[in-house]
Amino acid sequence: MKFILPLPPSGINHAYATNNGRWYKVKKLHDWEENCLWLLKGKITLQIGFVALEITFVDGDRRKHDIDGRIKFVLDLLEEAGLYPDDNMVNELHVFKEYDKNDPRVEVKIC
C-alpha cells in the first residue's frame, strides 16, 4: 500500500502547546492531521503484527528541514487512521528526503 499526503508541518518544537498544564496540538498540526485522515478514510486496514514503513518527505524548497520531527507526526497519523493499534508496532522504518519544488508531499509505503 502506498499513500501520498500533504507534507506535515516541520518542527516538533512548535507543534504542541500547553494550557493550564494540558498539552494540545497547535492548529497547524491539528488541521494537517484532520485533512490527512479524510484523505485516508476507507483506504487503511488494520495490520496484525509488526509493520514496516517507508516514508519519503519531498520538500518544496531546499531549506533545512529536520527529518526526525516529521516522522512522529506521520506515525501518530497512521495510528489515528487505524493502521495499527499503537505505533510501537512499527518494527522497521526507512526514511528519505527529496526535493520537488512543484509537488511537495510525503509518500508513505506500507511494506
Side-chain angles (χ1 to χ4, degrees), residues 66-82:
D66 288 348
I67 200 170
D68 57 338
R70 290 177 168 176
I71 295 169
K72 176 170 178 40
F73 300 151
V74 173
L75 295 180
D76 288 350
L77 170 73
L78 295 173
E79 180 179 333
E80 185 71 24

